[in-house]
Every structure is written in C-alpha cells, then in structure tokens.
Amino acid sequence: MAAVTEQAIIDALRTVMEPELHKDLVTLNMVKDLKIEGGTVRFTVVLTTPACPLKTEIKASCDKAVGAIPGVTKVEVDFTANVQQGRSQIKDNLIPTVKHTIAISSGKGGVGKTTVAVNLSVGLALQGAKVGLIDADVYGPNVPMMMGLERPPEQQDGKLVPAYSHGVKLISMGYFVPEDTPLTWRGPMIHTAIQQFLRDVIWGDLDYLVVDLPPGTGDAQLSIAQLVPLTGAVIVTTPQDVALHDSRKGLFMFQKVNVPILGIIENMSYYVCGKCGERTEIFSYGGGERAADKLGIPFLGRVPIDPAIRVGGDIGLPLVVANPDSPQAKAFMDIASRIAARISVLTATASETIPVESLLQKIKKPLTSGA
Ligand SMILES: Nc1ncnc2c1ncn2[C@@H]1O[C@H](COP(=O)(O)OP(=O)(O)O)[C@@H](O)[C@H]1O
Ligand SMILES: [Mg+2]
C-alpha cells in the first residue's frame, strides 16, 4: 500500500471549509503540526477562538476528508486557538495587549445587562479564552457582587492589579466610587475612571475585554464608546423592551462612533418550570428576533427567566459556574460562542470594518435620529 503523503492530506484539507469564514482550512492557515505515522494522521486545527461553536462540525469534516485518503486508517484532530487581533490595537494603544473589547449595553437598567456581562465573561473563560471585565456602570456597579469579589484591587508600581474571580480579571467603578456618592457627581467621574482602567491596570494578554456599560444611550455611554477601542457592542433587552425604539437608539449611538453591533440578546425571555420543565412564554414570543431582523443585526439568543440566575448573582456564583449543565447555563455559553464567532468573522473581514453603515442600508424604513 502506498504511503500516505503530506501533500495528499493538505489537498484533502483544502476541501474542508471553515463554515463561518467560507474559506478552506489550508487557505486560512489553520492547520499545523501535521504528523503521519503509518496509517495514523494527526494534526492541529488552529481556531480563531477557543469558544468556537463549530468545533464538532469542523472535526467531522476533517475526519471525512482525510479519512477518505487511501491508506489512512485513523485521523486525530487536536484543537487550539489563536484569537486574531482586532480593531483595538489599530485604533488605540492604551491597551495593546487586549485583542478584542466587547461592550454590553442596554436601553435601560434592570434588564439583566450585568448578569449577561458576568455570565458571558465567565463563559468565555470556561471555554479557554483569556478574559477581562470592566464594570463601567457608574450608577450601579454591581459586578463585584455578582462575581463574589468585594475586595478592592491591589497596587503594584503605581498600577492597579485587577481582581480575579471565576477565571476573569476584573475592575469595577464600585471600587472607586463611595456608595453614598450622589448620582449627579457620578457621570463626570466616568471619563477619567475609564481612562485609568485602560491605562493604569495591568491587564496582561487578553483575548476579550468585556465592558459592562451604564444603562441608556446618552452622553456617558457615548463617551465610553469613544474612549474604549471597541470591537463591537452587544445590546441586551427583555421581551417588553425589545420594541424597535430602544434597539434603534442603541444602534444609533454605536453608529455615531463606528462601533459594529455584534447582536441582540433577549433576557428573561421565557420561564421554565423548575418542577416539570414546562416552558412558558410569559411575553409574546420572538420580539427580540423580530427587532434584530428589522434592524438587520444578528440575534444572539434568548436567556430564560430563572430564580437560579438571580441567586447566582446575589451570592457571587454565576450560573455558568454554579450549574454548568443546566439549559440556562447552556444558553449563556451558546451566546458567548456566537459572539466569539462573530468577532472572528469581523476580524477576518477587517476590510469591511464599518458594518453598521451597511446595516443601516438594510433597514427597511428610513430612520431619524432619536426615533
Ligand atoms: N434571566 C434572569 N432570570 C432571573 N433573574 C434575572 C435574570 N437576569 C437578571 N436577573 C436579575 O434581575 C436583576 C437585574 O439584573 P441586572 O443584571 O443587575 O440588570 P442591569 O445590569 O441591566 O441593571 C438582578 O437581581 C438579576 O439577578
Ligand atoms: Mg447592572
């Protein structure tokens, strides 16, 4: 039997497409460490994110393509990930060791923005990414509580060492703003604080830096979006709130500063009975999806309303850690993967870096500012 050649394997892998990037693994330079031992072929696929939702699919395609080569008896595929540098570095060098920055925003408070920010950050870390989290919500900085960390960060050579919990590095406004600070004083503190969070915090190498923005679409949010070199923004809504109105405002705000929208998440979407598992649609089904569709932005998924999610927040043990096998945790993990995948696509198609412009053209009805 003819020996299996490296060339035959490369040729076979040229037929395996990366499903999101629509190019083959060889062209994308995603194959490394190819070894042939008799009929056993072993290689590593370098994914664009450790949170890749398509690992299983890619593995099956590799097995099939390489397995079909005469003489190959076994195919072993390993995975590793190398997150590609995004806009962050290009636009700003305050945080050159951070590859991507993701803003979590909402039209108003209480929709679960922080809950989502925390579970997504921890979810990305659980999937192997290096993750940081900035709690920029000057009006209600409760990320430390939800991450189980009340202790302020330590200093080192005049810089701040981020706190660390559940695999995530964390800095919060809450560490610096005394609880009794009047609301009117808080707004003006944001700008300087964010600057310090970028410049004076030892973040180290990060794949994703998640920013929990203050709720709303006003000046405070705009100023942060301008300071932080954002790869993209995620909009969190609840079913009652998904009226196009709010999502549109969010879209406009990020458009002003050329930040792509990664998508919409519908939180507190439906209720799953803890006893019988029956699913109840408390509000009308599909509002988030419809809003996303109308605005031409991706729908990232729905998170159910679940007392365990609230308890997890209250005791500082996010649900993805407290009960990782629950469908609710899985909802968060899937959304985290979708965001990571979308960032990979945005980065790979960096020549089209202003998708919001083209997105706006997709909107059927003409929009007016402040609509
Ligand atoms: N999916 C959910 N199920 C149950 N409770 C939730 C869910 N999402 C958020 N909560 C709870 O709702 C409250 C508001 O959430 P929070 O994340 O603080 O909102 P925001 O940051 O938008 O103000 C918190 O008590 C939180 O635990
Ligand atoms: Mg919050």
Side-chain angles (χ1 to χ4, degrees):
M1 193 161 49
V4 178
T5 64
E6 206 166 282
Q7 191 56 49
I9 294 160
I10 299 289
D11 288 344
L13 289 174
R14 275 190 202 282
T15 67
V16 178
M17 304 299 273
E18 211 287 352
E20 302 254 29
L21 302 177
H22 308 296
K23 284 191 183 134
D24 70 90
L25 300 189
V26 178
T27 304
L28 290 168
N29 212 4
M30 288 171 72
V31 182
K32 67 167 194 181
D33 297 339
L34 175 59
K35 288 192 192 79
I36 306 166
E37 285 157 17
T40 302
V41 176
R42 192 174 295 137
F43 56 90
T44 302
V45 173
V46 187
L47 299 167
T48 51
T49 172
C52 181
L54 303 160
K55 233 185 247 183
T56 327
E57 194 179 319
I58 295 173
K59 184 172 183 325
S61 308
C62 288
D63 280 344
K64 197 168 160 216
V66 177
I69 301 170
V72 173
T73 49
K74 196 171 174 198
V75 184
E76 288 179 8
V77 189
D78 288 326
F79 286 100
T80 168
N82 181 17
V83 178
Q84 300 297 308
Q85 184 86 37
R87 297 154 50 98
S88 321
Q89 191 190 29
I90 304 158
K91 206 171 130 191
D92 199 309
N93 57 10
L94 280 182
I95 39 171
T97 59
V98 175
K99 288 182 178 161
H100 294 284
T101 313
I102 308 165
I104 311 290
S105 72
S106 66
K108 61 178 187 210
V111 301
K113 179 174 49 62
T114 303
T115 305
V116 167
V118 161
N119 279 283
L120 288 184
S121 303
V122 177
L124 286 168
L126 284 172
Q127 296 185 66
K130 297 191 200 90
V131 184
L133 175 56
I134 291 182
D135 179 8
D137 188 352
V138 74
Y139 305 109
N142 52 358
V143 174
M145 177 193 84
M146 291 199 189
M147 291 288 280
L149 268 177
E150 303 291 352
R151 199 171 36 87
E154 278 159 29
Q155 288 199 28
Q156 189 182 301
D157 307 326
K159 292 212 163 200
L160 289 168
V161 183
Y164 186 77
S165 179
H166 307 302
V168 172
K169 292 179 180 175
L170 161 74
I171 281 289
S172 170
M173 282 291 205
Y175 294 136
F176 307 98
V177 183
E179 250 172 63
D180 53 3
T181 309
L183 283 185
T184 45
W185 291 9
R186 291 178 182 241
M189 299 168 105
I190 294 179
H191 197 87
T192 321
I194 297 290
Q195 249 171 347
Q196 277 184 300
F197 287 174
L198 299 183
R199 202 182 43 213
D200 300 337
V201 173
I202 307 170
W203 288 110
D205 289 329
L206 293 182
D207 293 324
Y208 306 105
L209 178 59
V210 177
V211 186
D212 185 15
L213 290 183
T217 49
D219 288 346
Q221 293 75 13
L222 256 185
S223 115
I224 296 175
Q226 273 167 319
L227 271 173
V228 184
L230 292 171
T231 305
V234 170
I235 299 175
V236 181
T237 54
T238 55
Q240 318 91 294
D241 178 47
V242 286
L244 273 171
H245 186 79
D246 282 334
S247 311
R248 258 185 199 174
K249 270 201 199 158
L251 188 71
F252 269 118
M253 180 178 82
F254 290 112
Q255 186 214 3
K256 268 187 209 159
V257 281
N258 279 338
V259 173
I261 304 284
L262 297 169
I264 291 187
I265 299 173
E266 189 178 301
N267 185 35
M268 308 198 215
S269 185
Y270 54 93
Y271 174 71
V272 182
C273 173
K275 293 203 182 77
C276 70
E278 195 197 348
R279 183 166 160 153
T280 308
E281 303 287 339
I282 302 173
F283 307 101
S284 76
Y285 178 86
E289 222 160 342
R290 276 194 298 273
D293 198 44
K294 280 232 173 75
L295 293 169
I297 57 185
F299 183 65
L300 296 167
R302 315 169 79 204
V303 177
I305 186 159
D306 173 14
I309 293 179
R310 183 192 52 77
V311 171
D314 290 349
I315 63 172
L317 204 59
L319 192 81
V320 289
V321 177
N323 193 356
D325 296 325
S326 63
Q328 287 82 334
K330 201 167 167 307
F332 282 123
M333 294 300 260
D334 285 349
I335 292 171
S337 289
R338 246 167 251 146
I339 292 172
R342 204 157 135 64
I343 288 177
S344 297
V345 174
L346 281 181
T347 310
T349 52
S351 51
E352 310 156 19
T353 36
I354 314 177
V356 175
E357 302 287 280
S358 56
L359 286 175
L360 279 175
Q361 284 160 16
K362 281 200 214 147
I363 299 171
K364 288 136 202 158
K365 277 188 243 155
L367 298 173
T368 46
S369 205

